[in-house]
Amino acid sequence: MSPVVGSAFFLFYLLALCNASGADIALDAKATLLHRIDSLNLLIYTCLLTLTVLTIWVFKHRRVSWLHETGLAVIYGLIVGAIIRYASSTNQVTYIDAHPAPDTKYNLSVPPDILRFRFPDKIQISSGDTVPNKTYAYSFRGEIVNLEQNEIDLKATFDPEIFFNIILPPIIFHAGYCLKRKYFFRNLGAILTFAMVGTALSALVIGALMYGFVQLMPASLASSFTFLDTLYFGALISPTDPLTVLAIFSQLKVDVNLYAMIFGESVLNDAVALVLSGAIQNYEKRYSVDGGFEITAFLAAIGDFIGIFSLSLLVGALLGCFTALMTKFTHVRDWPLLESALFVLMSYAAFLIAEVFELTGVVAVLFCGICQAHYTYNNLSSDSRNRTKQLFELLNFLAENFIFTYIGVSMFTFPKHHFDPWFIIAGFLTSTLGRAVNIYPLSFLLNLGRKPPIPMNFQHMLFFSGLRGAMSFALAIRNTVSEARQAMLTTTSLIVIATVVLQGGAATHALAYLRIPTGQGQNDENEALPYRDVRSETPRSGEAGEKARLARLWGALDSRLLKPLLTHARPPLTETLPGFLSPLARILTTTRQYTQADNSLRRTDSDSDLCLDEPQPVPTSIDPQQLWPGLVDTRISVEGITGSNI
């Protein structure tokens, strides 16, 4: 073969390779473009968060209190969303119309999860050659609203599952991990009443009123709503997120009992609302025959609610206790980095295990956080304590502000909003009435047996603190297929924006108008002292009446069994368990529990008001031998739950 012929064959081979790889090059270019758009999308949110942080610093430096960081995040998100929506160039997204085969057996009322698009057996390309058949898979994204859209407009929205699986868990865990348990237990009855009974009552009132309003609206919208839809809206709009109010409370040192009631309710009603919304969704799918009211289906849904909540709580508590045992009986604390990693992974595993078994991960991770703070924290090294608290506070800050930023951006970029002014007005009115039904009637009932009662100005502040936030938005954006759900999302987003910006900004004025005293000091709650003499404190006047019997019983169980079992706390189990369990008690008691009296009298966990408070040193003049006998023979009071100053 001559060199000329060889060169010709080589050139022909190169041309064939170019034709064969032309499709791959085009796909690579498309992937590169999508990567750039994704990077631009993340850069936008990163810049928004950076701008929010810098503005917060300016506001703190200038002592500006009329706008909180979450309100800033929402406002910046609205501005950037409007720029993306109206100032960006519009590109036509490439598409091919595909129709299901006439003989398809798929139920077209529900979109398929994956669409497999098959080209013809041979596709003719411009060069005259043919390429073999290729099959592409397209995942379900949602209903198409407008084909003429900007690429960044499409990419500025996230899969709702990201909120539930990635963003919400650290927020909920942080709430449980930094819970101020001393005043939480003192007000446990009120918190449980507002969070559980009140949230369910609020959802029912909002659902019933919204159903009545919807029937008065135009037939096009009324026909898309059922009573279960409006009840679901009541469940998703009932949880509160009073971050702005609580931040101001901390700065002004408002009464700790008011702080505990507002914070405790907001922590629990997120979990209650999530389980309640799931029970409403399961009502028609699992129990009801025709979607109407049936007493058996109603009772089954209530049982579903109680069962899922209880099992989710159990999963979270067990994972927290298991982590405490691991950190107690191993030497992982000698490697703080591994210890912190284990702590974070076990905490996140509580959320995932609950979700895998069709429970509620939010409830599980909340109570896992409470157990981790109460038990595991005492076993951690000092490095891991500081690292875990700072890590979850940072994650909570970033996640909260990201959600509020996204709420603002999505008002303009999310393609499935449905603006109906009558539904929006009705949503604002009913959510306000639902909050009032939650607070005032239940406060009246609580005051019949509560000493001291909840004063009226505290009740007004509880009502005012009903800001809506991350949980309401996450529940609303999870399903936006139907017109009814799209209207719920739009109304919920507007309610969140209005309450965060307006109510949050007016919190300081509300405190002054209601004459709620400030400057009383919330930092006296150094309550996480598991190794102390509870007889060293005499209850102050009137304090005994505030202690719930349930809290006293829990304190006895916690101080004499659970803490000695799960931590290195004294008294050891060999002194508290019956004699016939002595072999087991010796196995479960560490040497450290016998020998720590000189150096470990005072331990600090996350019970303090400020999550990052540093532990105070123990006075060296205190004789440890004067403390341990009192601890062994003590009669547990409510301070025994969490400890107090030695």
Side-chain angles (χ1 to χ4, degrees):
M1 181 182 296
S2 66
V4 176
V5 176
S7 299
F9 274 108
F10 180 71
L11 291 174
F12 179 79
Y13 177 71
L14 290 178
L15 290 174
L17 287 178
C18 291
N19 289 333
S21 61
D24 293 333
I25 294 174
L27 289 176
D28 288 341
K30 181 67 174 178
T32 302
L33 176 62
L34 293 178
H35 174 73
R36 290 179 56 200
I37 293 174
D38 288 335
S39 300
L40 176 60
N41 182 31
L42 294 176
L43 178 62
I44 288 174
Y45 285 103
T46 302
C47 292
L48 281 173
L49 290 176
T50 304
L51 183 61
T52 301
V53 170
L54 293 176
T55 310
I56 292 170
W57 172 78
V58 173
F59 277 26
K60 289 184 179 295
H61 182 68
R62 300 294 182 182
R63 299 183 183 276
V64 176
S65 60
W66 52 267
L67 186 60
H68 188 249
E69 59 202 39
T70 53
L72 277 172
V74 169
I75 293 173
Y76 285 147
L78 288 170
I79 295 173
V80 172
I83 294 174
I84 294 175
R85 179 69 177 83
Y86 297 109
S88 301
S89 60
T90 300
N91 302 324
Q92 184 176 6
V93 180
T94 59
Y95 67 93
I96 297 177
D97 291 328
H99 303 279
D103 58 346
T104 183
K105 297 180 180 179
Y106 186 79
N107 178 15
L108 296 179
S109 61
V110 179
D113 297 323
I114 295 177
L115 178 65
R116 292 182 298 183
F117 186 72
R118 292 186 175 88
F119 285 95
D121 291 338
K122 295 291 183 179
I123 301 177
Q124 193 78 18
I125 58 178
S126 58
S127 62
D129 299 326
T130 60
V131 297
N133 168 55
K134 291 187 177 181
T135 301
Y136 297 95
Y138 292 85
S139 299
F140 173 72
R141 175 164 182 160
E143 182 184 1
I144 295 177
V145 178
N146 181 18
L147 291 178
E148 301 288 334
Q149 288 183 335
N150 192 347
E151 288 281 2
I152 186 62
D153 189 16
L154 290 174
K155 289 291 182 178
T157 57
F158 293 94
D159 188 338
E161 290 303 310
I162 292 178
F163 289 99
F164 278 91
N165 294 330
I166 298 177
I167 298 179
L168 275 182
I171 295 175
I172 302 299
F173 181 85
H174 176 266
Y177 195 45
C178 293
L179 185 68
K180 298 180 289 291
R181 294 192 300 279
K182 178 177 180 179
Y183 291 96
F184 177 85
F185 278 104
R186 281 188 179 180
N187 298 277
L188 183 62
I191 291 172
L192 291 177
T193 301
F194 290 136
M196 304 194 73
V197 180
T199 301
L201 186 61
S202 173
L204 182 61
V205 169
I206 294 174
L209 292 176
M210 284 300 297
Y211 186 72
F213 278 116
V214 165
Q215 300 309 308
L216 302 177
M217 295 178 187
S220 59
L221 185 64
S223 60
S224 61
F225 277 92
T226 64
F227 179 69
L228 289 179
D229 288 328
T230 58
L231 196 61
Y232 180 80
F233 176 74
L236 70 87
I237 206 63
S238 292
T240 59
D241 192 3
L243 284 175
T244 306
V245 176
L246 293 176
I248 293 174
F249 279 14
S250 296
Q251 294 172 4
L252 299 181
K253 296 181 172 56
V254 177
D255 182 88
V256 287
N257 292 294
L258 177 61
Y259 185 100
M261 284 189 287
I262 294 176
F263 180 71
E265 182 208 357
S266 68
V267 168
L268 292 180
N269 67 14
D270 281 351
V272 171
L274 186 57
V275 180
L276 183 61
S277 62
I280 293 171
Q281 288 177 314
N282 292 335
Y283 175 84
E284 184 174 6
K285 181 172 64 175
R286 296 184 181 179
Y287 308 120
S288 180
V289 176
D290 56 0
F293 180 79
E294 301 174 24
I295 186 63
T296 55
F298 177 73
L299 294 176
I302 293 178
D304 202 14
F305 169 81
I306 297 175
I308 290 177
F309 190 93
S310 302
L311 291 175
S312 302
L313 186 156
L314 182 63
V315 168
L318 289 177
L319 262 293
C321 294
F322 182 65
T323 309
L325 290 173
M326 293 176 65
T327 53
K328 177 183 178 181
F329 291 105
T330 65
H331 294 283
V332 69
R333 71 191 312 266
D334 295 336
W335 292 273
L337 181 61
L338 300 181
E339 184 183 38
S340 302
L342 178 67
F343 182 92
V344 173
L345 293 174
M346 292 297 293
S347 302
Y348 190 50
F351 175 86
L352 297 177
I353 290 174
E355 291 293 324
V356 167
F357 288 98
E358 297 186 350
L359 300 175
T360 304
V362 167
V363 177
V365 78
L366 169 64
F367 286 94
C368 180
I370 294 174
C371 291
Q372 299 280 43
H374 197 54
Y375 301 116
T376 310
Y377 185 89
N378 295 294
N379 302 332
L380 299 179
S381 62
S382 58
D383 289 343
S384 294
R385 291 180 194 170
N386 294 330
R387 182 182 290 118
T388 54
K389 280 194 170 183
Q390 293 172 359
L391 171 64
F392 282 107
E393 186 177 36
L394 175 62
L395 292 177
N396 173 74
F397 174 82
L398 293 177
E400 284 277 6
N401 283 279
F402 173 81
I403 287 183
F404 284 104
T405 300
Y406 183 73
I407 291 173
V409 172
S410 66
M411 285 301 300
F412 293 96
T413 62
F414 196 74
K416 298 173 189 175
H417 279 294
H418 182 83
F419 289 87
D420 187 279
W422 295 112
F423 189 86
I424 294 171
I425 294 172
F428 273 91
L429 292 176
T430 55
S431 62
T432 304
L433 291 174
R435 182 64 182 170
V437 170
N438 185 339
I439 298 301
Y440 295 109
L442 296 182
S443 296
F444 173 78
L445 296 177
L446 286 169
N447 286 342
L448 295 178
R450 179 184 170 92
K451 304 292 183 182
I454 304 174
M456 186 56 68
N457 59 344
F458 279 24
Q459 296 180 37
H460 294 329
M461 198 65 211
L462 283 165
F463 168 77
F464 183 84
S465 301
L467 286 70
R468 272 58 173 190
M471 180 58 68
S472 296
F473 178 76
L475 286 172
I477 202 173
R478 199 170 194 179
N479 177 9
T480 56
V481 175
S482 66
E483 185 179 2
R485 294 299 178 91
Q486 294 170 8
M488 291 182 198
L489 171 63
T490 303
T491 304
T492 301
S493 300
L494 292 175
I495 291 175
V496 170
I497 293 173
T499 55
V500 168
V501 176
L502 300 180
Q503 282 183 244
T508 305
H509 302 289
L511 288 172
Y513 178 78
L514 296 174
R515 298 181 179 178
I516 295 176
T518 59
Q520 296 183 349
Q522 293 187 26
N523 298 332
D524 62 342
E525 194 181 342
N526 296 319
E527 43 174 322
L529 309 173
Y531 324 125
R532 65 171 187 87
D533 183 1
V534 295
R535 295 190 308 179
S536 64
E537 286 192 350
T538 302
R540 294 179 293 273
S541 176
E543 198 173 46
E546 301 175 12
K547 300 171 184 176
R549 183 172 180 271
L550 178 62
R552 291 197 298 270
L553 294 175
W554 167 253
L557 175 66
D558 183 53
S559 297
R560 301 185 67 83
L561 177 61
L562 295 180
K563 276 194 173 179
L565 170 64
L566 300 173
T567 71
H568 299 286
R570 292 180 59 96
L573 293 174
T574 52
E575 299 180 13
T576 58
L577 290 181
F580 68 91
L581 293 177
S582 296
L584 178 62
R586 286 193 293 270
I587 295 175
L588 297 176
T589 302
T590 61
T591 305
R592 183 178 171 187
Q593 287 178 272
Y594 295 114
T595 61
Q596 68 178 347
D598 292 334
N599 300 320
S600 300
L601 289 176
R602 181 178 179 119
R603 301 287 299 276
T604 302
D605 64 14
S606 60
D607 287 339
S608 56
D609 275 303
L610 298 178
C611 188
L612 295 178
D613 279 353
E614 293 294 332
Q616 300 296 325
V618 181
T620 56
S621 60
I622 295 180
D623 183 5
Q625 298 301 323
Q626 297 176 356
L627 300 180
W628 295 126
L631 179 61
V632 173
D633 299 329
T634 185
R635 297 296 182 265
I636 300 300
S637 66
V638 80
E639 283 84 356
I641 301 168
T642 52
S644 60
N645 292 331
I646 295 178

